[in-house]
Amino acid sequence: MDPVEADLLVKARGGNLFAYEEIVKRYQRRVYATALRIVRRHDVADDVVQEAFIRAQRALPSFDLSRPFGPWIGRITANLAVSQLRSPVAREQGLPEGHAEVAAPEAGPLAGVLDEEARRVLEAALGGLPLEQRSVFVLRVMDELSYREISEALGLSLGTVMSRLARAREKLRVALLPYLGDAARRARASEP
Amino acid sequence: MTPHVRSRLSAYLDGELPPDERSAVDQHLRVCASCAHRLEGLAALDAAARALPVDAPPGYFEDLPARVRARLDALPRRAWRPPVWSWAVAAALLLAIVTPATLWHRESSTPSAAISGPAARATPEATLPPRQAPEQENAGNAPKVLGKAEGSALRVMRSPFRERAADAPAPAYPAEARRPAPSTDELDNIRERQRPPAPERPQADEARGAGLARPAEPRPEPQAPPAKDVAERKDAAKQEQATSPAETRGNAAATVLAPALAGGRAAVVQPCSTGLLARPAPRSLAEARVRRQAWSDCLRDLPEAPGADEARVRLVAAGVEVYRFSDDENDLRQVLADAAAYLARGDAVQPERVRALLEELGRRP
């Protein structure tokens, strides 16, 4: 953890809401991405994001500062997102149209791995995954949580995490089969 | 060639396979183009998923931090939980150091020798809260049943710990001390009494219960404050009694201070203590700070007066209330300092109450 963030977390843990606001700014895009990938709807993701940050702030006294904050709040977010979708009134919908702002938390050399069409296909395939597989995939691939962290976050056994992730990847791989050859070549080309 | 390893490629990609399985997959991938190609596809898929843009409405991320902040500001005060940090350890260390020192000092100090006898010794035991802690001296003694007034007052004092499921009953006070709150006339009459309480057994019991922990030898009369101050305080006390939310709190105040009143000196300190005892529990950080300062002022003005022991304990409790609202490390330090100062006193009568407060500070959430 970088020293600035460590200092912010210490102050936030002491009740300094200004410091915590800075933490929110640092992690809001990542948390929103996790929430949105799971719940697939902005208004629901917004609720999840706010609730995740509030719960994290309330739980800061018990947070081990020697551990990274990102995976911790990622777990909180995923748990909330899954709970939200399992509530009786929740239903899955696609993203509303007309959003202008783009926030790519992991954009980099691989941003061009897939062309636009392939990205749409991947988006649709991701949305088509069962919630149980999608939540595990998002936590592993987007939030880079370990299997043990995912099992703790979602209350699953390690074996279940492993099998759900494998099935999720297989479904996505099949959906993107026509595009993955090019993607793989570009990925190799972008490697140092 | 070894069997295909497709079912293990996902975990292999994540580095989650045990060493022996990972080695086996490594060996297979060297000779199997199909599995190697599949692994390549999974890695590209992961990279593509990470790179997917995340759409949000315009201005969403500009507004979100402030919205979160506003919701946090609007939340009711959270359940009091001391942070997990070194001050919890400091509180535990303070107990570990001061408790044996206090016990040793009390064993060898004059007050214990002067007020001797089984009944006198029984009195502090009767006032101790029935705790299960190993350091409790009278684990086998059952406390006297509290009257409603005493219980109410002590529950008010212990408000930060209401959430504890297994709250120990509040300390018992001698039954003889229970009586209604004194009227103003009664206060005047008491003030006129000449003789301080003799160190007889029953009175010593009451005195120890109220915090008068002095040896039996005669004590010099404390200087009376200016009459104007006394009159003002009497008026304030009268007003407090008239406006106090419940008669039970007034009863509790009388319970604590009645033995001290018998000596006549208490008229000097009693008004400020009574007023404070009669107030309801603070509902905000500002109120808690005012309360603590009031106890501090009460002690500062009359540090050796009857009732001072109770005021010192109340000072610690008031500091805990402040910390409960503020979660400020400086406030925690103040609590620990007040508690240490009290426990280090040779005439401390109610160390278990202060230790109970410290133990709550030392608990992890």
Side-chain angles (χ1 to χ4, degrees):
Chain A
M1 188 184 302
D2 76 89
V4 173
E5 182 170 309
D7 181 61
L8 286 172
L9 284 171
V10 168
K11 289 176 180 171
R13 194 164 73 170
N16 187 325
L17 291 184
F18 289 105
Y20 192 69
E21 199 171 332
E22 291 301 312
I23 294 293
V24 172
K25 288 177 185 174
R26 287 178 168 234
Y27 285 95
Q28 59 180 343
R29 295 171 193 271
R30 173 175 174 169
V31 170
Y32 179 78
T34 299
L36 189 63
R37 290 285 171 230
I38 295 175
V39 303
R40 310 293 294 168
R41 186 174 154 183
H42 166 72
D43 54 344
V44 179
D46 180 45
D47 288 342
V48 169
V49 168
Q50 291 188 60
E51 188 62 27
F53 277 118
I54 288 170
R55 290 198 184 190
Q57 193 272 345
R58 305 308 261 181
L60 272 179
S62 60
F63 173 65
D64 182 358
L65 287 175
S66 66
R67 302 181 67 181
F69 182 81
W72 183 63
I73 195 165
R75 289 199 294 274
I76 295 173
T77 304
N79 210 300
L80 283 169
V82 170
S83 299
Q84 188 79 355
L85 287 185
R86 285 181 178 153
S87 65
V89 297
R91 60 181 187 277
E92 285 190 63
Q93 293 183 5
L95 287 172
E97 296 179 359
H99 289 145
E101 183 169 348
V102 173
E106 302 295 335
L110 295 174
V113 168
L114 294 181
D115 59 21
E116 190 174 338
E117 180 185 341
R119 280 202 297 273
R120 280 200 295 268
V121 170
L122 178 56
E123 230 11 295
L126 201 53
L129 286 177
L131 173 62
E132 298 78 24
Q133 294 177 15
R134 186 166 72 244
S135 55
V136 173
F137 181 83
V138 167
L139 284 180
R140 173 62 209 136
V141 174
M142 274 75 166
D143 287 285
E144 298 180 339
L145 267 59
S146 68
Y147 285 17
R148 180 159 300 282
E149 288 171 330
I150 296 171
S151 73
E152 290 171 357
L154 300 179
L156 305 171
S157 68
L158 283 174
T160 301
V161 171
M162 193 177 294
S163 63
R164 287 185 182 179
L165 188 53
R167 285 200 292 271
R169 277 175 164 144
E170 182 60 21
K171 286 182 183 173
L172 295 175
R173 189 189 71 84
V174 168
L176 263 70
L177 218 45
Y179 310 94
L180 281 179
D182 290 339
R185 278 194 292 276
R186 287 179 203 158
R188 282 197 301 273
S190 66
E191 289 172 6
Chain B
M1 186 169 67
T2 54
H4 291 300
V5 293
R6 291 165 190 165
S7 64
R8 290 186 279 176
L9 288 178
S10 175
Y12 176 85
L13 180 64
D14 295 328
E16 296 273 0
L17 285 179
D20 55 340
E21 286 192 46
R22 182 171 187 84
S23 176
V25 172
D26 278 336
Q27 289 180 7
H28 179 81
L29 289 173
R30 288 192 199 104
V31 297
C32 178
S34 172
C35 288
H37 181 70
R38 182 171 289 224
L39 179 65
E40 210 173 71
L42 292 182
L45 174 66
D46 278 8
R50 286 192 204 101
L52 281 175
V54 176
D55 290 339
Y60 177 73
F61 293 110
E62 278 74 27
D63 296 337
L64 181 61
R67 290 164 61 213
V68 170
R69 168 89 189 274
R71 282 189 62 178
L72 286 170
D73 278 335
L75 284 176
R77 193 68 193 180
R78 68 185 174 191
W80 182 71
R81 288 181 169 183
V84 180
W85 59 8
S86 61
W87 285 107
V89 175
L93 282 174
L94 183 66
L95 275 175
I97 293 169
V98 175
T99 298
T102 304
L103 288 174
W104 174 84
H105 186 86
R106 287 167 64 81
E107 282 295 325
S108 62
S109 64
T110 307
S112 300
I115 304 177
S116 61
R121 284 198 176 277
T123 302
E125 292 170 350
T127 62
L128 289 177
R131 298 185 56 82
Q132 301 301 318
E135 67 272 18
Q136 189 181 355
E137 300 173 27
N138 60 333
N141 294 343
K144 293 183 181 179
V145 175
L146 270 184
K148 184 177 179 182
E150 296 88 339
S152 298
L154 291 163
R155 281 192 290 276
V156 167
M157 190 197 88
R158 294 173 60 204
S159 56
F161 318 118
R162 277 189 208 124
E163 297 154 7
R164 289 182 59 197
D167 268 348
Y173 283 87
E176 301 86 343
R178 298 177 197 158
R179 65 182 207 186
S183 64
T184 304
D185 290 339
E186 188 173 352
L187 293 176
D188 289 336
N189 292 334
I190 290 168
R191 192 182 301 125
E192 291 174 1
R193 293 184 193 178
Q194 301 298 322
R195 186 186 298 277
E200 297 175 5
R201 195 170 300 167
Q203 288 188 352
D205 291 353
E206 292 183 352
R208 290 181 74 82
L212 179 63
R214 288 287 182 181
E217 64 267 19
R219 290 179 286 167
E221 291 281 342
Q223 284 188 349
K228 181 183 176 184
D229 289 343
V230 172
E232 287 179 347
R233 288 178 177 179
K234 188 172 72 173
D235 289 340
K238 184 178 180 180
Q239 187 176 7
E240 289 276 3
Q241 290 180 0
T243 59
S244 61
E247 184 183 355
T248 53
R249 292 204 175 95
N251 290 343
T255 299
V256 171
L257 295 169
L261 293 176
R265 287 181 223 97
V268 174
V269 71
Q270 179 261 347
C272 72
S273 297
T274 299
L276 287 171
L277 289 169
R279 291 182 193 171
R283 292 167 294 178
S284 68
L285 175 60
E287 286 184 15
R289 290 201 188 280
V290 167
R291 181 71 58 87
R292 190 198 169 278
Q293 186 61 47
W295 278 114
S296 178
D297 292 342
C298 201
L299 270 173
R300 178 198 62 208
D301 295 339
L302 301 155
E304 301 302 328
D309 184 86
E310 179 66 23
R312 290 189 186 92
V313 174
R314 298 288 176 145
L315 179 67
V316 175
V320 170
E321 284 281 1
V322 169
Y323 176 60
R324 175 194 174 206
F325 283 107
S326 70
D327 274 350
D328 190 314
E329 182 178 333
N330 292 323
D331 293 323
L332 178 57
R333 285 199 197 102
Q334 185 64 62
V335 172
L336 294 177
D338 291 340
Y342 179 83
L343 292 172
R345 292 180 69 91
D347 60 354
V349 179
Q350 307 172 82
E352 273 67 23
R353 286 172 66 185
V354 173
R355 290 196 197 102
L357 293 169
L358 288 180
E359 285 189 6
E360 282 297 326
L361 287 173
R363 288 179 188 275
R364 295 173 69 90

